[in-house]
Amino acid sequence: IRWWALEPVELKKLLEQMQYEFGFIFKFRADGTGSYVHILQTSELSAVQTFKKEDIANLKINNSSFSDLLTKMEINYEKRPAENRYLSSVTSTNSTARTSWSIQAKENIADVNLDMNIGTPNTTGQSDPNADFYSYYDNIFGDIKKIISCDIVNPAVSYNLETGDIIQFSNTAGEMPVDPFGDNWADYYCIINLVRGLGTVKIIAREDG
């Protein structure tokens, strides 16, 4: 990180910019402790709970929106202190996703200016999402992901869940009511929305990794 301010800036906007450029979210858990939520590489993923059909109700399986796809970035970085410009730039692309989804040459391109993160972005997404800025966001938005929503009706496996937790659904035959789009349940999911109610916990979880 390299950052400076020549004029007063709003602290909230500064912290939000830092969260975006370095790919994390800070939150307080229910017990009052602080927690940093960020994407892990596959070898680091571990589920805090694994659910079976007896634990859940109202299961819904969707895909992330096509409009959320981000398959190409024009990234400017290493901002020059003396001038309002950037010393380096790189074009980073997920060619596989662009071909698979028939994205045209001038479509689905984002211009990104990094004012703090001076690490060199890769031109393609790496297997470790924490390798660089582009790999991190390519892991999240570079392809269509499964979105799972359900009610967890078993309090023994839901009482301590929080947003940001990694979960799984049983991949054993017969322990889930249906397979997701003909795929299996081997993937990990991150809870992105959670609402506690009387006797149930409603969650929305996004495919992770």
Side-chain angles (χ1 to χ4, degrees), residues 31-84:
D31 61 4
T33 59
S35 174
Y36 287 96
V37 180
H38 64 93
I39 300 297
L40 303 174
Q41 58 179 313
T42 303
S43 62
E44 298 173 320
L45 290 171
S46 177
V48 299
Q49 291 288 356
T50 300
F51 303 107
K52 302 177 183 179
K53 60 184 178 182
E54 293 82 6
D55 301 318
I56 63 176
N58 300 319
L59 176 68
K60 296 179 181 178
I61 305 169
N62 294 295
N63 283 323
S64 57
S65 172
F66 183 83
S67 63
D68 290 337
L69 275 179
L70 184 56
T71 57
K72 188 173 183 178
M73 287 185 180
E74 304 284 355
I75 304 172
N76 301 308
Y77 63 104
E78 289 191 312
K79 189 174 184 179
R80 182 177 175 131
E83 302 174 14
N84 188 27

Side-chain angles (χ1 to χ4, degrees), residues 15-33:
L15 294 176
E16 289 174 345
Q17 181 182 0
M18 187 179 296
Q19 287 186 141
Y20 170 68
E21 291 197 21
F22 293 95
F24 69 91
I25 296 173
F26 176 82
K27 59 165 285 183
F28 286 105
R29 296 184 69 87
D31 61 4
T33 59

Side-chain angles (χ1 to χ4, degrees), residues 6-209:
L6 304 179
E7 298 178 0
V9 294
E10 185 180 341
L11 179 59
K12 182 175 183 290
K13 291 181 179 179
L14 174 63
L15 294 176
E16 289 174 345
Q17 181 182 0
M18 187 179 296
Q19 287 186 141
Y20 170 68
E21 291 197 21
F22 293 95
F24 69 91
I25 296 173
F26 176 82
K27 59 165 285 183
F28 286 105
R29 296 184 69 87
D31 61 4
T33 59
S35 174
Y36 287 96
V37 180
H38 64 93
I39 300 297
L40 303 174
Q41 58 179 313
T42 303
S43 62
E44 298 173 320
L45 290 171
S46 177
V48 299
Q49 291 288 356
T50 300
F51 303 107
K52 302 177 183 179
K53 60 184 178 182
E54 293 82 6
D55 301 318
I56 63 176
N58 300 319
L59 176 68
K60 296 179 181 178
I61 305 169
N62 294 295
N63 283 323
S64 57
S65 172
F66 183 83
S67 63
D68 290 337
L69 275 179
L70 184 56
T71 57
K72 188 173 183 178
M73 287 185 180
E74 304 284 355
I75 304 172
N76 301 308
Y77 63 104
E78 289 191 312
K79 189 174 184 179
R80 182 177 175 131
E83 302 174 14
N84 188 27
R85 66 184 183 91
Y86 300 86
L87 299 177
S88 302
S89 62
V90 65
T91 300
S92 304
T93 308
N94 186 330
S95 299
T96 301
R98 293 182 71 83
T99 300
S100 298
W101 300 107
S102 299
I103 298 173
Q104 302 305 302
K106 296 183 178 181
E107 296 178 342
N108 198 246
I109 303 172
D111 293 318
V112 178
N113 295 325
L114 300 181
D115 294 344
M116 302 176 179
N117 188 339
I118 59 171
T120 303
N122 278 287
T123 56
T124 58
Q126 305 299 296
S127 58
D128 177 5
N130 292 293
D132 61 281
F133 175 85
Y134 177 71
S135 295
Y136 190 87
Y137 284 97
D138 179 62
N139 180 273
I140 303 174
F141 299 113
D143 209 344
I144 301 293
K145 302 286 187 176
K146 294 188 288 291
I147 308 292
I148 309 299
S149 61
C150 64
D151 299 342
I152 305 174
V153 296
N154 180 358
V157 295
S158 67
Y159 75 97
N160 63 341
L161 291 177
E162 297 260 1
T163 52
D165 284 347
I166 302 298
I167 61 171
Q168 280 191 296
F169 299 89
S170 177
N171 198 35
T172 302
E175 291 190 349
M176 286 295 290
V178 66
D179 289 334
F181 300 117
D183 195 5
N184 57 49
W185 289 102
D187 297 309
Y188 290 88
Y189 295 85
C190 179
I191 298 176
I192 59 174
N193 186 279
L194 182 147
V195 178
R196 299 186 187 278
L198 184 62
T200 63
V201 173
K202 299 178 183 292
I203 66 167
I204 301 174
R206 191 179 193 277
E207 183 184 349
D208 202 339

